Amino acid sequence: MVAGNRAYNQVATFWYIGKANQVTGNGLTTASGAKVVICDLATSSLELRLSNSTTMSSTTTVDAVYGGHLYIKVGRFIESTTAYITSAGGTLRMEPNTYYYIPLGSANLAAADSIPIPRLSSAIHPQTQYYLNGGTIELAATGANSFQSLRGNLANPKNYKSVTFSGANTLGVNFKNLTSTVVIDSTLTITGDAIVDCIGGGLTTQSFTGPGGLVMSGTNSRIRFPKLNVAQPELTGENVDYSLTAGFVEFYGSSSTQQQKIRGNYDSPTKVVNYYNIEVNALSGNYEATPLGAGGNLNLNSSFVLQGTMNVNSPAVLRMDEFDFIYKHDLTALSTVNINAGAGLLYGSQYGITTVGLGGTGVDPTKGIANTLAGNIRTSARTFSTAASYGFVGNGGMSSGSALPTQVVGLYVYKNTAGDTVGLTNPVEVTSKLKFQNGIIKTNANLVNVSNSATTAIEGW
């Protein structure tokens, strides 16, 4: 029929069915209204693509229960950067094994936060906002306009089933985020070159929570955590296991009196998190002595496995107490921890940082494979800069271990009780500060030389 000889009222139901991929066509116009759009294809692998942008209101003229809405019942609903659901008050409904692809992004964070994704907000009927019985929502923006903000959880439902961040972002230039707390039931996936920063409007710290698991597969994929005091990621992995086969987990933003925590295990019975790459950054180094446990910009919540590389970068400080261990993935995988120049390490294992020849367990303890490494850091390779600072923390006596450099910037003795001893396995030159809270250094033949002549170079708490 010639387009000029027909008209489609937008207060109607547009129901797309079929055994092949579909397009919405020009009968679905850009006009708003109480329209209902249903994607109900023959199989879950078929696609319905928007031919042009459209919008819908929450008014109940067509559907008295849900009002105007997008219902992805069977199949994959695909937007483009030029044809998409615009910001409006309609409701989103999704069933299991469905998919909603959203590639349109914004040029900056403020613009992205003003039109969070999914763009449907059900503003008129907040008691019937989203009905997500299943499905995956994918934020896939790439290029200069790749800011996208995932809409925080609404009153109904209280969670998303699965969310995927894909596309491409540039570190330090753009990213994807979440407007407020997001509960994930199944899987949070970060793939491609997507960068997800856990901040909301006004740069507030936010979290992904719930019983879902984190999956990362893109070589340059990254999730960034600025939140303090709560072990990140917060996802408990009860419904889906963690699977980190690539990418970066980054902690950043803490100050000299603030601490972040990294999750080491998940689910019940306990499973150990296998991280790939970890980056530890901070605004300033946290060498706080009191209260006990305060020191360290990043503190291990429990032991974990490292498959790739962990960089502790200046001025961040990593804290590992007596029973916090970083294991390598298996006997052959190369995993590396680097304490870089200007950074710090506070540690408390009785065997020190790393000690060779003690028959410790160097891999994931659930594998039950032993090698010849003991101490806090049991990875395949370790580098400890002479331009970094080191300290002894936790309960009980300990050795400094075979990896403490013979020259350090600062040396901190922060044991929990005054009688706890630290035995040096090699002499140490301290070029800036030697500081005591509790504990006794047993030098034997291995002397501590403070080469800084300032009167403040040696300090007691």
Side-chain angles (χ1 to χ4, degrees):
M1 181 180 293
V2 178
N5 294 335
R6 56 163 171 77
Y8 291 94
N9 193 313
Q10 297 300 293
V11 184
T13 297
F14 298 82
W15 200 322
Y16 296 89
I17 61 174
K19 297 182 179 180
N21 292 333
Q22 306 285 305
V23 295
T24 57
N26 57 14
L28 189 67
T29 73
T30 58
S32 183
K35 69 183 71 167
V36 175
V37 178
I38 302 175
C39 174
D40 188 13
L41 305 179
T43 69
S44 60
S45 63
L46 293 175
E47 297 180 351
L48 173 61
R49 291 181 175 269
L50 278 172
S51 301
N52 50 256
S53 295
T54 191
T55 188
M56 56 202 68
S57 70
S58 296
T59 53
T60 56
T61 307
V62 176
D63 190 310
V65 176
Y66 299 106
H69 65 274
L70 169 64
Y71 183 20
I72 310 175
K73 187 176 182 181
V74 181
R76 301 162 65 88
F77 189 80
I78 309 296
E79 294 185 359
S80 71
T81 57
T82 57
Y84 51 91
I85 303 292
T86 59
S87 180
T91 290
L92 175 63
R93 298 174 64 192
M94 296 180 71
E95 298 296 342
N97 301 313
T98 58
Y99 176 82
Y100 185 7
Y101 180 79
I102 307 170
L104 180 66
S106 300
N108 55 63
L109 176 61
D113 277 345
S114 69
I115 47 170
I117 294 170
R119 296 182 179 89
L120 296 161
S121 65
S122 193
I124 296 177
H125 296 286
Q127 73 277 13
T128 59
Q129 284 171 318
Y130 284 3
Y131 290 81
L132 304 181
N133 295 322
T136 297
I137 299 169
E138 180 169 351
L139 287 71
T142 189
N145 295 322
S146 59
F147 282 95
Q148 288 182 300
S149 298
L150 177 65
R151 185 183 295 277
N153 287 116
L154 304 173
N156 183 19
K158 295 181 179 179
N159 53 12
Y160 290 95
K161 297 303 179 182
S162 294
V163 173
T164 295
F165 293 93
S166 65
N169 295 99
T170 301
L171 186 62
V173 176
N174 49 48
F175 52 83
K176 298 171 175 69
N177 72 305
L178 57 161
T179 61
S180 60
T181 297
V182 168
V183 181
I184 302 289
D185 251 5
S186 295
T187 309
L188 171 64
T189 300
I190 305 173
T191 189
D193 293 332
I195 297 173
V196 179
D197 203 331
C198 294
I199 58 172
L203 305 182
T204 56
T205 60
Q206 304 297 339
S207 291
F208 294 98
T209 66
L214 175 63
V215 173
M216 297 183 69
S217 58
T219 301
N220 295 314
S221 61
R222 182 180 293 255
I223 186 167
R224 307 184 72 225
F225 296 112
K227 192 172 183 178
L228 303 172
N229 304 320
V230 178
Q232 299 291 340
E234 288 187 53
L235 294 169
T236 60
E238 297 167 47
N239 294 337
V240 174
D241 284 348
Y242 275 60
S243 178
L244 309 178
T245 58
F248 296 81
V249 174
E250 180 185 353
F251 294 83
Y252 76 99
S254 60
S255 74
S256 61
T257 59
Q258 295 175 329
Q259 187 176 86
Q260 295 181 281
K261 296 183 179 181
I262 182 171
R263 173 182 290 277
N265 56 56
Y266 65 96
D267 203 2
S268 180
T270 298
K271 299 173 184 176
V272 177
V273 179
N274 283 253
Y275 288 99
Y276 201 79
N277 297 315
I278 300 173
E279 294 283 331
V280 186
N281 296 300
L283 296 176
S284 53
N286 178 3
Y287 293 96
E288 285 290 298
T290 57
L292 292 176
N297 296 90
L298 181 66
N299 188 9
L300 273 66
N301 187 54
S302 57
S303 302
F304 60 79
V305 173
L306 182 69
Q307 303 175 63
T309 300
M310 179 176 186
N311 279 306
V312 183
N313 299 315
S314 177
V317 180
L318 175 67
R319 182 189 182 97
M320 304 178 67
D321 287 283
E322 57 265 37
F323 299 114
D324 295 334
F325 307 114
I326 301 176
Y327 298 98
K328 59 183 177 180
H329 185 248
D330 55 40
L331 288 177
T332 59
L334 180 62
S335 55
T336 304
V337 171
N338 298 316
I339 308 299
N340 293 317
L345 173 66
L346 304 177
Y347 63 101
S349 168
Q350 63 174 314
Y351 300 118
I353 306 176
T354 294
T355 300
V356 178
L358 293 178
T361 301
V363 298
D364 178 349
T366 63
K367 297 179 184 293
I369 305 171
N371 63 15
T372 58
L373 296 176
N376 287 110
I377 299 177
R378 305 181 178 188
T379 51
S380 304
R382 303 149 300 281
T383 65
F384 303 101
S385 174
T386 59
S389 295
Y390 301 85
F392 312 112
V393 295
N395 287 305
M398 61 180 288
S399 165
S400 64
S402 58
L404 181 67
T406 57
Q407 184 182 83
V408 302
V409 173
L411 192 65
Y412 299 85
V413 187
Y414 287 173
K415 299 299 291 181
N416 288 354
T417 60
D420 290 343
T421 59
V422 180
L424 291 183
T425 57
N426 53 263
V428 180
E429 178 189 357
V430 181
T431 62
S432 180
K433 181 181 287 292
L434 173 63
K435 186 172 181 179
F436 287 86
Q437 180 204 31
N438 280 318
I440 301 168
I441 291 182
K442 294 179 66 177
T443 61
N444 297 320
N446 299 311
L447 300 182
V448 177
N449 171 30
V450 181
S451 57
N452 180 7
S453 62
T455 58
T456 58
I458 301 177
E459 184 178 340
W461 191 262

